[in-house]
Structure formats: C-alpha cells, structure tokens
Amino acid sequence: MFQSLLYQFKLRFRMINPFDIKQEFKFLNTTQQQCTLHSKEQLNESTYLMRFAIPQQDKCLGTRIGQYISLNDPKFDINTTRYYCPISRIDDVGMFDLLVHAIYAENKNFSTHITTLNEGHILNINGPFTNYLYHGYGAIEVPKYNINSKYQYIGIVAESSAIAAFFQLIEGIATNGDNTHIGLLYVADTLEELVLMEELMWYMEEKKINATFMLRNEKDLINKLFSGPKGQLKPIYLEQYLPQPSDQTLVLVCGSRAFKKETKSQLENINHQNIAII
C-alpha cells in the first residue's frame, strides 16, 4: 500500500509521467479477471454512471488514455461481451468508472442487462485494448490510421454517451499542465443526453478547453433556453467550433455509425486531413 501511495504522490506532483502507470501498479494484465459493481447512478433515461471495484485495492485499473476494457457476466444467459472506455482518472486506485448507455430492444442485450445489476454483482473483465494512446503533451498514437505524431491542436466531435471515448483525454490534458489545445463539439438530440456536463463546464471555466454543446432536436421546448447551435450538424459548425485544418491539428470522432460517417465526410469537405474515427 505504501508503494502505491508514494506513486500517487509522485503522479500528483509530476515527478513522473502522469500519462502512464508503471506495470507493477496495474491490475489488468491481458488475462480474464473479475471486478465488482460498487454503485450506479442514472444520469438520464438510458445512461448510467457505474463504479466498479477491483480486488487489488492498492492498484490502478491499468488502462492508459485511449484504451478500453471488455466486460461480460458469467450469470447472464447470453454469452455477450461489451466494450467500455473508463472515464475515471488512470491513476485512481482500487476502482474505475464507466458510462453505460442502455440499448433497449426486444432481444436481451448486455448493455441493458448491466444497468439492472445490484451492488456486489461480480463481472468478468479483460483488457486493456487500444483505440488510441495519448502519450501526453500533444503526442498521440492511433494504430488503425498509422498516426503517431505530436499535435498542438486536438479537435473532438462526440455524440451523446460517446463522450466517454474522450473524457479521460480531456481530463488528462486539463489537469496535468498539458498545453495542447482542445476544441470540443459535443452533439446530442436533447439537453438530457449531454452527460458529464458539470465536469466539462468546469474545464471550460478554468480555460482548459474550448467546448461547444449542440442540440439537434429543435422541437424540444427546453431548447429555447439553450444558447448553443441547434439543428443538424453542418460543415459551418465544424469550421466554427473546431481547430482549423493544419498539419498540427488532429480531429477525433466518436458516435453512432451514421454519425461518424457523416462527420468524417463533412470534415474532409472543409479540408481536414488528420481525422481518426474511434
């Protein structure tokens, strides 16, 4: 325990790289292990914040920024595995948080099943797996696109609960003295679907990120009180709210399949060259 606390101290005071964790402090090791549901909080009609405990309370989960884990339930009558990006800090000890979007359908599915579980339920966990790796201070690696470079500007376009793919990135840059510029365009149908707003707005107020929140459902009456852009995503919004295209700009996109396809097309039309679909 003392070694872990000492490591946490060193991380907080930047005596070591805050964007990585030494192997001896990592819980995950690419073999199947178990975690326990500690608590859950319903954020909106279909999205939950869920906290899980790991057996080794003096260790971090072991993912880096841009990595994810898989979960399955040995007691679920359908053998289903789902993948999730943690949203807790990579140096949090003994636990990790997930943003879980329940997909309601006639057939049984794991994403809905997991939100019905009670505290103390044990799940199988595997990982880490990699979407991208953020090495810190602008250096990012996206194996799928052969991207391994350093950027001054990172643009993020996220749809609803897909913000989970980038929350550790935003938090890591905002809290570790990283001067990389972040321009976030966060898109949802309704105000309710914009989750983790308190944290994102705090980073905005502290001038750590530039963020714009966009609602597509103009029929929602509450939108009348909303000052951000409304309606369908258009190239003009991408031009206005994201960093300008250059060899120093990388744009990351995550959301539904249709959202990712349309956003990529619009980004290419306004001359963005460095685009990674997560």
Side-chain angles (χ1 to χ4, degrees):
M1 174 66 84
F2 174 75
Q3 284 184 321
S4 179
L5 291 174
L6 178 62
Y7 191 66
Q8 295 296 307
F9 176 84
K10 290 180 177 180
L11 277 172
R12 296 294 183 187
F13 289 92
R14 300 182 203 156
M15 297 168 69
I16 53 178
N17 181 7
F19 295 97
D20 198 6
I21 303 293
K22 287 186 177 180
Q23 188 60 45
E24 61 261 37
F25 297 105
K26 294 181 178 181
F27 166 67
L28 292 173
N29 59 11
T30 71
T31 63
Q32 180 170 282
Q33 299 188 77
Q34 293 185 321
C35 61
T36 303
L37 177 60
H38 179 271
S39 61
K40 62 180 177 180
E41 177 187 357
Q42 188 167 2
L43 302 181
N44 60 36
E45 185 178 356
S46 59
T47 307
Y48 293 75
L49 176 62
M50 307 190 72
R51 172 161 292 185
F52 295 86
I54 56 178
Q56 295 166 288
Q57 288 289 291
D58 61 340
K59 290 194 175 185
C60 305
L61 176 62
T63 56
R64 295 178 61 185
I65 293 175
Q67 292 188 314
Y68 59 100
I69 53 97
S70 70
L71 290 179
N72 68 73
D73 185 354
K75 297 181 179 180
F76 190 36
D77 59 359
I78 299 177
N79 185 18
T80 303
T81 296
R82 291 284 293 181
Y83 298 91
Y84 299 97
C85 300
I87 61 170
S88 42
R89 289 180 59 93
I90 65 170
D91 58 344
D92 280 339
V93 173
M95 49 72 65
F96 63 95
D97 293 334
L98 300 180
L99 197 64
V100 177
H101 177 65
I103 302 173
Y104 299 108
E106 291 184 7
N107 298 324
K108 292 183 179 180
N109 64 81
F110 185 76
S111 68
T112 302
H113 166 72
I114 191 176
T115 64
T116 67
L117 300 179
N118 296 319
E119 295 175 8
H121 196 95
I122 295 175
L123 297 172
N124 294 328
I125 179 173
N126 281 279
F129 310 100
T130 300
N131 275 323
Y132 63 94
L133 277 176
Y134 188 68
H135 299 287
Y137 311 103
I140 189 168
E141 181 181 353
V142 192
K144 179 180 177 181
Y145 294 94
N146 295 316
I147 292 173
N148 190 357
S149 190
K150 191 171 184 178
Y151 297 91
Q152 292 182 5
Y153 307 95
I154 295 178
I156 295 173
V157 189
E159 181 186 34
S160 302
S161 59
I163 190 67
F166 307 122
F167 190 75
Q168 282 191 332
L169 174 64
I170 294 169
E171 186 274 339
I173 290 175
T175 61
N176 286 302
D178 188 331
N179 292 323
T180 305
H181 173 92
I182 290 184
L184 167 67
L185 181 57
Y186 187 10
V187 182
D189 287 330
T190 66
L191 196 61
E192 243 189 6
E193 292 180 10
L194 294 172
V195 293
L196 304 176
M197 288 287 285
E198 184 176 342
E199 294 87 347
L200 293 171
M201 292 183 74
W202 187 83
Y203 294 141
M204 288 175 60
E205 291 169 359
E206 293 295 309
K207 302 190 184 304
K208 301 296 185 180
I209 65 171
N210 290 329
T212 302
F213 308 104
M214 177 177 176
L215 298 182
R216 292 177 297 202
N217 186 357
E218 295 182 282
K219 296 178 181 179
D220 191 340
L221 294 178
I222 199 169
N223 291 358
K224 294 179 180 179
L225 305 176
F226 181 79
S227 60
K230 303 172 187 175
Q232 295 304 304
L233 186 63
K234 299 176 183 178
I236 189 172
Y237 297 139
L238 298 172
E239 288 182 304
Q240 186 172 355
Y241 300 117
L242 295 182
Q244 294 302 303
S246 78
D247 59 358
Q248 290 297 306
T249 298
L250 174 68
V251 181
L252 305 172
V253 181
C254 192
S256 66
R257 187 175 301 177
F259 179 83
K260 291 188 287 190
K261 180 179 179 181
E262 178 60 26
T263 303
K264 183 175 186 292
S265 175
Q266 293 190 24
L267 287 167
E268 290 172 342
N269 287 339
I270 59 175
N271 300 316
H272 276 285
Q273 302 297 318
N274 302 316
I275 306 169
I277 309 299
I278 304 303

